[in-house]
Amino acid sequence: MKRRDFLSKTALGAAAGVLAAPAIAQSMPEVKWRCASSFPKSLDTIYGGGEYISKRVAALTDGKFQIRIFGAGEIVPAFGTVDAVQQGTVECTHTAGYYFVGKNKTFAFDTTVPFGMNQRQQNAWMYWGGGLKLQREFLRDYNIVSFPAGNTGTQMGGWFKKPVKTVADLKGLKMRIAGLGGEVMSRLGAIPQQIAGGDIYPALEKGVIDAAEWVGPYDDEKLGFYKIAPYYYYPGWWEACSMYSMYVNIKEWEKLPKQYQEAFASACAECNIDMMAEYDYKNPIALQSLIKNGVKLQSYSTEIMKAASNTAFEMYEEEAAKNPSFKKIYEPWKKFRNDQMLWNKVAEQTLMSFMLSNPVK
């Protein structure tokens, strides 16, 4: 892929240089969109990604293109946003594709799958490896065009009321967990529950669930899970990264002037970088705070990790054998992932292992 093609696809070339404000002000129409977020307003990081995009689009179009962001449940339920965009109820949604694996497991690749790629590898796959093209081909059947628009990086492994040391400890455990990670947990004996972010705490408090995963230290501390479930596990093997997306109704997208399309794509690409930087800044601080508050940090046992990994890839192979859209993405994704792992092992893992084993005093 040529560099100019990459810049065109991701719009990282900064639309600010192409969009002359006076020209827009004089000749461009006023456009107002509604965006239904799948996230509660209390999460300034993820919900804030939608707000970031809205502000950047307005700035890049001299205020002519306005996108109003609505929190989960305000006009559309958190897990109903794809239907709303598909049907034209709203023009777009800021969401996580894996929330919709009940429609088709192929949605998961737009966010992450268990034992998938980290944030940088995911970006390489989407922008350079053909992932975005494949995902858009799949989403066209839902009347949607997608844009990467945020990432948390590798997430934590969830909050538990009691320790889980073996696969047997997962039997019958009711856990809030989304996407294909929930199906892997189910195959290991747990009972997955898909619950919107704003409803997790009361579900834990009332005993509806025994455990919950969300994102990482910064968001989890704000939601207060540690007050009820003090055992905090890592890593979130079901989310080596968690990429969020802007899903846009294709017909509405095609109505936009080209300059507005460029502004929107640029804003999403900026958000994809900015959100990760924000999490990398805030998570270390929050983790230290949680530990001071008595949180018991625990790592998943090798037994659980191996069982989960084997189960995940067995599930992928089964799904690819019966789901053509899943297979179409899974096979090139798997090869790309394996190549990325080899490269990571040669360079970054070696360096990081040394630095972690030899900290500066």
Side-chain angles (χ1 to χ4, degrees):
M1 185 185 295
K2 296 179 181 178
R3 182 170 299 276
R4 62 175 175 272
D5 295 331
F6 169 67
L7 292 175
S8 174
K9 286 188 177 182
T10 62
L12 285 173
V18 241
L19 300 176
I24 289 177
Q26 293 170 16
S27 62
M28 289 293 146
E30 289 189 358
V31 175
K32 293 185 179 181
W33 276 10
R34 297 195 303 171
C35 175
S37 175
S38 287
F39 312 107
K41 287 185 174 180
S42 58
L43 294 176
D44 58 311
T45 43
I46 305 178
Y47 173 82
E51 293 281 10
Y52 179 98
I53 291 166
S54 172
K55 291 175 182 176
R56 289 297 294 141
V57 166
L60 290 168
T61 61
D62 199 35
K64 292 285 188 174
F65 185 7
Q66 296 284 337
I67 303 172
R68 184 178 176 187
I69 312 297
F70 293 86
E74 283 193 297
I75 55 173
V76 176
F79 303 136
T81 62
V82 159
D83 288 340
V85 172
Q86 185 179 6
Q87 296 161 9
T89 305
V90 295
E91 288 81 9
C92 60
T93 176
H94 189 227
T95 191
Y98 69 1
Y99 286 161
F100 309 100
V101 294
K103 294 178 179 292
N104 190 319
K105 286 185 173 64
T106 312
F107 270 99
F109 287 107
D110 205 38
T111 306
T112 189
V113 298
F115 298 96
M117 294 181 280
N118 66 24
Q119 181 257 354
R120 281 177 52 194
Q121 294 165 343
Q122 178 80 353
N123 279 347
W125 161 245
M126 295 299 283
Y127 291 139
W128 282 87
L132 184 57
K133 179 178 181 291
L134 288 170
Q135 204 67 37
R136 285 177 171 173
E137 288 174 359
F138 163 70
L139 289 169
R140 181 167 284 277
D141 289 340
Y142 295 85
N143 199 30
I144 285 170
V145 59
S146 63
F147 299 83
N151 206 309
T152 66
T154 303
Q155 295 193 1
M156 291 293 283
W159 299 87
F160 294 78
K161 295 180 179 179
K162 297 178 181 179
V164 287
K165 298 179 181 179
T166 67
V167 173
D169 292 333
L170 299 174
K171 305 293 184 184
L173 184 136
K174 299 187 294 293
M175 182 177 185
R176 185 276 173 195
I177 180 170
L180 297 186
E183 183 162 338
V184 173
M185 276 292 194
S186 177
R187 293 185 181 209
L188 295 177
I191 304 170
Q193 309 285 321
Q194 182 148 294
I195 301 173
D199 298 326
I200 298 173
Y201 184 91
L204 268 176
E205 188 176 38
K206 295 174 183 177
V208 175
I209 53 176
D210 308 305
E213 64 83 28
W214 181 237
V215 177
Y218 178 73
D219 288 333
D220 292 2
E221 183 179 36
K222 289 187 69 174
L223 293 177
F225 302 143
Y226 67 94
K227 299 173 184 176
I228 303 169
Y231 295 92
Y232 198 20
Y233 275 79
Y234 68 92
W237 45 262
W238 48 85
E239 289 179 276
C241 81
S242 189
M243 192 189 82
Y244 303 117
S245 295
M246 270 288 193
Y247 285 175
V248 180
N249 179 281
I250 288 178
K251 291 180 180 178
E252 296 299 327
W253 174 253
E254 291 174 347
K255 290 179 187 177
L256 288 178
K258 178 65 175 176
Q259 289 174 308
Y260 287 14
Q261 291 180 344
E262 288 294 322
F264 187 90
S266 291
C268 289
E270 289 177 22
C271 180
N272 200 35
I273 297 170
D274 182 78
M275 188 184 292
M276 186 70 260
E278 182 178 4
Y279 272 116
D280 280 343
Y281 171 73
K282 292 180 174 179
N283 276 333
I285 299 169
L287 182 58
Q288 293 177 56
S289 173
L290 286 167
I291 292 172
K292 288 178 182 178
N293 281 320
V295 166
K296 299 174 176 63
L297 199 60
Q298 307 282 319
S299 64
Y300 278 116
S301 65
T302 301
E303 176 190 333
I304 290 177
M305 293 289 285
K306 284 185 175 180
S309 179
N310 291 338
T311 300
F313 280 90
E314 287 171 4
M315 180 177 68
Y316 303 153
E317 295 294 335
E318 290 174 12
E319 188 66 20
K322 63 185 180 183
N323 184 343
S325 64
F326 188 93
K327 181 179 181 179
K328 185 176 181 180
I329 296 180
Y330 172 65
E331 290 186 344
W333 172 90
K334 184 180 179 182
K335 181 182 184 305
F336 189 90
R337 173 192 179 276
N338 290 342
D339 289 344
Q340 287 291 306
M341 295 302 168
L342 287 173
W343 163 235
N344 189 271
K345 183 177 180 179
V346 168
E348 298 215 16
Q349 182 181 332
T350 306
L351 178 59
M352 289 302 299
S353 295
F354 172 81
M355 291 192 293
L356 291 170
S357 301
N358 297 272
V360 176
K361 298 180 180 179

